[in-house]
Amino acid sequence: MSRLIVISNRVSAPDGSTSGAQGGLAVALQAALREMGGIWFGWSGELTDEFTGQINFQRNEGVTTATIDLEAQDVDEYYNGYANRTLWPLFHYRIDLAEFERSFAGGYQRVNERFAETVRPLIEPDDVLWVQDYHMFPLGQELRRRGCKNNRIGFFLHIPWPPRRLLSALPEAHQLIETLFAYDVIGFHTQEWMESFIDFARAEMEAVVSPGGVLRIGYKSVQLVVAPIGIDATEFAALAASDKARDSYEQMRRSADGRTMIVGVDRLDYSKGLEERFLAYERFLNENPAERKEVFLLQIAPPSRASVESYQRIRSGLEGVSGRINGAHADLDWVPIRYVNQGYPRDVLAGVYRAARIGLVTPLRDGMNLVAKEYVAAQDPEDPGVLILSRFAGAAVQMEQAVLVNPYSVEEVSDAILLALRMPRDERIARWRALMDGVEQEDVIWWRKRFADALMAVPEPV
């Protein structure tokens, strides 16, 4: 039986915790590794003075992880640079924030080569390889060059794929996309993003696509598949019923003091549309004075990528906006926005979600957004809350029964908040039931199987 080799920027090893601190992707990949055997390989998150390629092995709960340390220059150029200051903003349609520096591109290529060189001795002829996300575009090509000619190698992109005109701004776009034809299967969250990939390959590289989703350039071909990721719905529902979730639910209910809570949970990132969200909530307060002291917004936004300047500006800007809104609207016994810059375990969040009448998920652009699905899974079936969801999140394709909004329109989001607050219980239940059916049916295990089936269907080389 073939082993599975998972390769990603970072590795998430099982820790035996019952708090559900790990995300759905980690849970799904760990389950696949237990089933097939194999290794999860990636960066340890640690620095070394000189790259040696030394691998640190660990085995926890049936999952073997293999990690390497990187030099500070590697992290600056590959991770903070090309991945997060070039590709991330560009792929989230923020060309105004993208930085194009040759040293970034060089470091990105160097680290992918180091990954390939280091993991290659661990790969056996029958192993199946699954490469994760935008940090690793060229890795498949580098592995093929090092002798992995006959291994099935798949790639999954967890972020949006931008339109051709935007992608053309990347100086090395043609070369980077050409490396993807070393993979056997490429997965996307939505049909739209797969079609954007096809559009670039057709227009810029003269590729042809067959009705079955096989894209060809010359003698190279790759199978394309749409496979939106989900959460482990059963596991998250169990978290929502746990003691910690009940405690956090009761804590939030007491803290609300009879008021209605709106919740947002997002990593601190410009793609999440947090400033636009705050401004829409401010408009709601201004236009609905009768509701003013009856609601509050809890925004949980743990910091990320603190060394990247654009993220420092985001934090400073949000602190200013939230402070201004609170200064203008707060009273002795009420603060309109509770803005928290730290993260919480998923079992604690499950209780917070359940206590919130509205889940406000309004990214400007997002690959999937699993918070939307977690919010739905945490609800009380007899009295569920309402999900307000950006049309530009990948999840919107599957979650049409949410209140879908344009996150750039403060009027539309403000109106949606009022609609959700006044929505009758029967309608809330009907919307929630339809959403929950989708969350349960197209969960993270369904996602893994859909992609794995496509990869295993690739004919073995003769």
Side-chain angles (χ1 to χ4, degrees), residues 68 98 128 252 274 297 306 367 369 427 434 453:
I68 56 173
V128 175
M252 295 313 305
L274 297 184
L297 169 62
N369 196 297
E427 183 180 350
D453 286 351

Side-chain angles (χ1 to χ4, degrees), residues 3-4 47-48 66 112 167 183 203 234 257 267 282 304 316 325 362 377 380 386 404 409 411 435 451 455-456:
R3 295 189 313 164
L4 176 65
L47 299 180
T48 181
N112 271 270
L167 187 57
Y183 293 105
T234 302
D257 193 25
R267 186 170 51 80
E282 180 183 34
S304 68
S316 176
I325 294 172
T362 55
D380 177 358
V386 178
L404 299 179
S409 170
E411 289 182 336
L435 289 168
F451 187 89
L455 187 55
M456 297 307 293

Side-chain angles (χ1 to χ4, degrees), residues 5-16:
I5 308 294
V6 174
I7 306 173
S8 61
N9 172 58
R10 293 293 297 273
V11 171
S12 183
D15 58 8

Side-chain angles (χ1 to χ4, degrees), residues 253-410:
R253 297 288 286 182
R254 289 193 301 271
S255 174
D257 193 25
R259 296 184 174 94
T260 298
M261 183 171 76
I262 305 168
V263 71
V265 178
D266 308 81
R267 186 170 51 80
L268 197 58
D269 189 284
Y270 46 78
S271 67
K272 302 301 183 180
L274 297 184
E275 183 170 341
E276 290 81 357
R277 183 181 305 171
F278 285 3
L279 295 176
Y281 176 63
E282 180 183 34
R283 187 181 186 97
F284 166 79
L285 296 176
N286 288 330
E287 293 188 342
N288 300 280
E291 305 283 351
R292 179 172 157 268
K293 292 184 65 175
E294 302 303 315
V295 300
F296 69 93
L297 169 62
L298 170 64
Q299 178 60 58
I300 298 172
S304 68
R305 302 167 186 165
S307 60
V308 179
E309 184 180 349
S310 58
Y311 288 80
Q312 297 168 4
R313 292 197 300 268
I314 296 163
R315 182 168 185 170
S316 176
L318 285 173
E319 288 170 353
V321 173
S322 61
R324 179 182 61 75
I325 294 172
N326 281 340
H329 293 276
D331 209 334
L332 293 176
D333 60 347
W334 172 70
V335 177
I337 299 178
R338 301 182 187 179
Y339 177 44
V340 183
N341 281 136
Q342 70 179 68
Y344 295 91
R346 291 170 73 233
D347 53 0
V348 173
L349 288 176
V352 174
Y353 293 144
R354 197 178 184 93
R357 172 54 59 90
I358 298 173
L360 200 50
V361 182
T362 55
L364 305 180
R365 189 69 57 174
D366 217 342
M368 175 50 61
N369 196 297
L370 296 180
V371 167
K373 298 184 178 186
E374 290 178 346
Y375 176 79
V376 168
Q379 294 307 297
D380 177 358
E382 300 301 319
D383 189 23
V386 178
L387 175 63
I388 298 176
L389 180 61
S390 165
R391 299 179 185 276
F392 305 133
V397 176
Q398 296 171 290
M399 306 184 82
E400 294 179 343
Q401 297 82 10
V403 178
L404 299 179
V405 296
N406 173 4
Y408 293 92
S409 170
V410 295

Side-chain angles (χ1 to χ4, degrees), residues 89-373:
L90 183 61
F91 277 60
H92 285 83
Y93 299 41
R94 290 302 303 270
I95 191 172
D96 58 312
L97 297 177
E99 301 177 34
F100 306 101
E101 294 192 18
R102 290 174 184 166
S103 62
F104 291 173
Y108 180 81
Q109 180 62 31
R110 180 180 65 250
V111 170
N112 271 270
E113 290 173 4
R114 286 181 166 179
F115 267 58
E117 195 70 33
T118 309
V119 76
R120 177 64 185 91
L122 308 181
I123 299 172
E124 298 175 2
D126 291 335
D127 286 346
V128 175
L129 282 61
W130 193 359
V131 179
Q132 305 291 326
D133 225 359
Y134 63 103
H135 311 84
M136 302 284 153
F137 282 143
L139 186 62
Q141 183 180 81
E142 296 304 321
L143 289 169
R144 299 291 191 202
R145 288 173 174 170
R146 287 161 176 78
C148 296
K149 303 290 187 184
N150 297 329
N151 296 88
R152 295 184 177 97
I153 309 180
F155 176 86
F156 194 88
L157 183 67
H158 292 273
I159 64 174
W161 188 275
R164 172 165 54 95
R165 294 298 185 189
L166 277 180
L167 187 57
S168 296
L170 186 68
E172 52 283 336
H174 189 284
Q175 299 95 305
L176 197 65
I177 278 51
E178 190 171 20
T179 68
L180 289 170
F181 283 80
Y183 293 105
D184 295 299
V185 178
I186 301 174
F188 303 87
H189 282 311
T190 72
Q191 184 75 21
E192 175 191 352
W193 297 332
M194 184 179 77
E195 289 175 356
S196 291
F197 177 79
I198 292 172
D199 180 53
F200 184 92
R202 276 176 164 167
E204 305 292 336
M205 307 172 74
E206 299 183 352
V208 295
V209 61
S210 71
V214 176
L215 196 62
R216 290 185 174 85
I217 295 178
Y219 65 91
K220 298 178 181 179
S221 65
V222 60
Q223 174 71 53
L224 306 180
V225 61
V226 174
I229 194 171
I231 64 171
D232 187 332
T234 302
E235 178 253 3
F236 200 82
L239 285 179
S242 68
D243 290 341
K244 280 194 175 181
R246 282 195 292 269
D247 288 346
S248 67
Y249 171 83
E250 292 299 336
Q251 179 185 3
M252 295 313 305
R253 297 288 286 182
R254 289 193 301 271
S255 174
D257 193 25
R259 296 184 174 94
T260 298
M261 183 171 76
I262 305 168
V263 71
V265 178
D266 308 81
R267 186 170 51 80
L268 197 58
D269 189 284
Y270 46 78
S271 67
K272 302 301 183 180
L274 297 184
E275 183 170 341
E276 290 81 357
R277 183 181 305 171
F278 285 3
L279 295 176
Y281 176 63
E282 180 183 34
R283 187 181 186 97
F284 166 79
L285 296 176
N286 288 330
E287 293 188 342
N288 300 280
E291 305 283 351
R292 179 172 157 268
K293 292 184 65 175
E294 302 303 315
V295 300
F296 69 93
L297 169 62
L298 170 64
Q299 178 60 58
I300 298 172
S304 68
R305 302 167 186 165
S307 60
V308 179
E309 184 180 349
S310 58
Y311 288 80
Q312 297 168 4
R313 292 197 300 268
I314 296 163
R315 182 168 185 170
S316 176
L318 285 173
E319 288 170 353
V321 173
S322 61
R324 179 182 61 75
I325 294 172
N326 281 340
H329 293 276
D331 209 334
L332 293 176
D333 60 347
W334 172 70
V335 177
I337 299 178
R338 301 182 187 179
Y339 177 44
V340 183
N341 281 136
Q342 70 179 68
Y344 295 91
R346 291 170 73 233
D347 53 0
V348 173
L349 288 176
V352 174
Y353 293 144
R354 197 178 184 93
R357 172 54 59 90
I358 298 173
L360 200 50
V361 182
T362 55
L364 305 180
R365 189 69 57 174
D366 217 342
M368 175 50 61
N369 196 297
L370 296 180
V371 167
K373 298 184 178 186

